[in-house]
Amino acid sequence: MKFLKTDLKRAFSEPTFFIGLILGILSLFGPAVYFMLTDGMSGDIYSRSRSYILPFAAPLLAAMPYSTMIMIEKETHFRIMMNTKMRNNGYEFIRFAVCGISGGMVLLIPQLLLFVFCLAAGQVNNIAGSAKGFVLALSFGFGYAVFSYGLTFVNRQRYIPAVIPQVIYLFCTYAFPHLDLERFYPPLDLSPEIYGGNITSDRFIIPSVLALAGLILTAAGIVIEKTGETRS
Amino acid sequence: MKILRGAAFGISEHIPAARWCLAIAAVAFSAAVSVSRYIDLADTAAFSSFEILFMIMTDPINIVFIYLPAYLFTVCGIMFGSGFGGIEILRCHSRSDWLAGKLIVYAVNTVIFFAAVVAIDLTVCSRTFFFSDVWSSGFVGFRVMMGNPASDFASPPVPTLICASAAVLMFYFFCGMVNMLVSVVFGRESAALFISLLAGICIGMLNTMVYSNDTESQLIRCAILVAASLLMYVFCLAALSRKDLTRRSG
């Protein structure tokens, strides 16, 4: 529990976490200001701003807070030292949870700020729907962030865990409409307003699959590391 | 002989299996998506396999945004094998021989990747569309409607495809040379990948906007890319001769 609190504090004080927050805020408030200047105070600016830029950069923002730092810890063997300090394999799974939470928060916090701003300006049409959007932001950020964490076990380059989730996301965004998979169109998992749709259970499928993939990669990575340690 | 030995060592030691598997999977998936896209278009006019392959080879989304990143992902570690030179340079006895060996490794990797792209695309196309050795009027009409000049189809499909494919191959090889140069200058794989990808995207988009797809334009494009690739190699030689190989930079 003590390690969980320490790691959470560390996650929320990482420079990359703040960079992700700033980029998230810019990707939301930029379009909001643009719409206010061009369309005046008409329409649901909150929903429109959420579906403009953020859905296309969200996986990178979710993976940013922790992935590079974890790769540095791997290179410096900090992870091995923490494993010897903790009695079981709790370290990796606590890290898994913290990574997911930080990824979710980096998408949630800018949306909360925009929500408060638009609510004060009377630019939110559907408050209940907007609140459900916060759950989507958490699940989206969690899924992509823990997938990125799982990738840290299977590669040696620092940039790969941060970049690969975004690459896969953009690839699926291009491919799914041509394969009659519009139901699972990835940007809808963060902003269903793109197609004017409601939040359904389909919105949680891809983040869940990615979270499961991240869990499997983490477990496989632990087994491989333990096998390597036993042999040496 | 030392260059060939260095190249053979580089090719045999540097086969990142995981990266190649991921790249081939991405190419195959993209080929299936492209054909699925063109099946919808083929409802309006019957297209042949070569026509679909031509559309894939001249589509900037496929060539620049999907195949190019996959290609760079497979080649971006070539310069960093065995600790950036090190024992390989000792084997080759000179930096220029070592770099010449690396050039051959890049060329071989580019040809293999490109052959895989063409083979996969042609296989997927041939499973869905028939073969024809002339352009169909429906296809030419469709391309003209999309803004392409009719002169693009003055030659039969096979020579036009060969020239288009050669232009794409040289484009990838040029991006590989940029990757080589950035690797030597910065010494970091991530910088090499991102800068060469950015350069490739700019050149690819420029190609699409400035040049048409007829045989003559494709040949001019090939010649320019060959010259540019050689220039990159000369810059790389110059950078390598000044580089302090004892200092590691990430």
Side-chain angles (χ1 to χ4, degrees):
Chain A
M1 200 61 190
K2 188 178 160 191
F3 183 76
L4 178 65
K5 279 190 217 165
T6 313
D7 216 38
L8 275 170
K9 251 193 271 182
R10 217 169 142 211
F12 296 135
S13 55
E14 274 293 312
T16 44
F17 178 76
F18 291 111
I19 293 171
L21 273 185
I22 289 167
L23 290 174
I25 288 167
L26 285 173
S27 65
L28 285 173
F29 280 83
V33 167
Y34 171 73
F35 290 136
M36 281 179 184
L37 290 174
T38 50
D39 298 341
M41 300 300 252
S42 62
D44 188 353
I45 287 180
Y46 174 71
S47 297
R48 289 163 70 196
S49 305
R50 279 187 68 229
S51 28
Y52 208 66
I53 297 175
L54 186 67
F56 302 100
L60 188 64
L61 299 182
M64 205 187 285
Y66 237 14
S67 55
T68 307
M69 198 267 290
I70 289 171
M71 290 305 295
I72 293 172
E73 285 182 0
K74 190 177 167 185
E75 284 166 22
T76 54
H77 303 292
F78 179 78
R79 185 148 78 193
I80 296 173
M81 188 197 79
M82 291 308 295
N83 271 330
T84 55
K85 280 184 85 172
M86 297 187 78
R87 273 180 241 123
N88 51 24
N89 292 322
Y91 171 73
E92 273 91 358
F93 292 108
I94 289 171
R95 224 349 121 68
F96 180 91
V98 168
C99 214
I101 292 168
S102 66
M105 294 307 281
V106 92
L107 294 181
L108 177 66
I109 293 172
Q111 292 197 41
L112 277 171
L113 292 172
L114 181 72
F115 179 76
V116 166
F117 175 75
C118 289
L119 197 65
Q123 294 301 311
V124 181
N125 283 356
N126 182 1
I127 293 176
S130 303
K132 285 182 199 168
F134 300 147
V135 176
L136 281 183
L138 274 174
S139 86
F140 187 101
F142 187 92
Y144 282 88
V146 298
F147 178 63
S148 161
Y149 178 67
L151 289 174
T152 63
F153 288 91
V154 295
N155 96 98
R156 279 173 269 173
Q157 295 295 332
R158 284 187 206 176
Y159 65 94
I160 285 179
V163 165
I164 291 292
Q166 178 73 22
V167 169
I168 292 174
Y169 177 81
L170 289 175
F171 202 26
C172 293
T173 302
Y174 160 70
F176 279 21
H178 300 302
L179 299 173
D180 291 329
L181 292 171
E182 288 94 345
R183 202 176 133 200
F184 301 109
Y185 188 55
L188 296 178
D189 294 344
L190 187 64
S191 303
E193 302 92 351
I194 291 173
Y195 281 167
N198 296 320
I199 296 170
T200 61
S201 56
D202 291 341
R203 304 282 67 84
F204 299 97
I205 289 178
I206 293 179
S208 307
V209 166
L210 287 171
L212 187 63
L215 191 63
I216 292 170
L217 286 170
T218 303
I222 292 170
V223 166
I224 291 167
E225 277 177 9
K226 287 287 176 209
T227 315
E229 277 168 30
T230 313
R231 280 198 189 143
S232 59
Chain B
M1 196 59 199
K2 286 177 222 154
I3 296 170
L4 287 175
R5 206 183 304 144
F9 179 77
I11 292 167
S12 64
E13 291 297 311
H14 184 79
I15 305 174
R19 291 190 185 206
W20 273 97
C21 289
L22 286 171
I24 296 293
V27 167
F29 185 64
S30 172
V33 171
S34 298
V35 168
S36 175
R37 213 167 106 200
Y38 296 131
I39 283 173
D40 294 332
L41 289 173
D43 286 342
T44 53
F47 294 152
S48 69
S49 293
F50 286 145
E51 287 163 356
I52 298 295
L53 186 63
F54 179 78
M55 282 207 279
I56 291 173
M57 286 287 138
T58 52
D59 181 1
I61 293 177
N62 283 330
I63 298 301
V64 175
F65 294 105
I66 297 175
Y67 297 156
L68 179 64
Y71 163 70
L72 289 172
F73 187 57
T74 58
V75 300
C76 65
I78 287 176
M79 296 302 284
F80 301 99
S82 311
F84 202 103
I87 208 164
E88 290 179 53
I89 295 182
L90 287 174
R91 277 170 185 254
C92 296
H93 296 280
S94 80
R95 293 182 182 204
S96 55
D97 287 350
W98 173 75
L99 195 68
K102 287 293 182 187
L103 176 73
I104 296 172
V105 176
Y106 264 99
V108 168
N109 274 274
T110 307
V111 167
I112 292 173
F113 180 85
F114 184 73
V117 164
V118 172
I120 291 169
D121 283 328
L122 196 56
T123 306
V124 177
C125 290
S126 63
R127 298 298 291 256
T128 320
F129 301 95
F130 59 92
F131 279 104
S132 170
D133 54 2
V134 292
W135 300 113
S136 63
S137 55
F139 176 74
V140 176
F142 168 73
R143 291 290 286 191
V144 167
M145 198 174 64
M146 299 305 289
N148 300 103
S151 56
D152 284 359
F153 311 102
S155 306
V158 174
T160 312
L161 255 178
I162 290 172
C163 292
S165 303
V168 172
L169 174 66
M170 290 322 304
F171 168 60
Y172 285 163
F173 184 67
F174 171 73
C175 294
M177 291 296 99
V178 173
N179 184 275
M180 180 197 259
L181 175 63
V182 178
S183 301
V184 169
V185 170
F186 290 103
R188 298 176 79 107
E189 191 181 311
S190 52
L193 178 64
F194 290 124
I195 294 175
S196 56
L197 181 60
L198 217 58
I201 289 172
C202 294
I203 303 276
M205 298 317 291
L206 192 70
N207 258 342
T208 314
M209 286 188 301
V210 171
Y211 288 105
S212 63
N213 291 315
D214 61 290
T215 314
E216 203 181 302
S217 299
Q218 301 280 16
L219 288 172
I220 293 171
R221 213 180 296 186
C222 279
I224 292 172
L225 287 168
V226 166
S229 302
L230 289 173
L231 196 63
M232 286 294 134
Y233 181 69
V234 168
F235 288 154
C236 208
L237 265 175
L240 188 65
S241 64
R242 286 184 171 79
K243 189 172 177 70
D244 180 5
L245 292 169
T246 57
R247 198 182 343 159
R248 304 274 283 215
S249 48

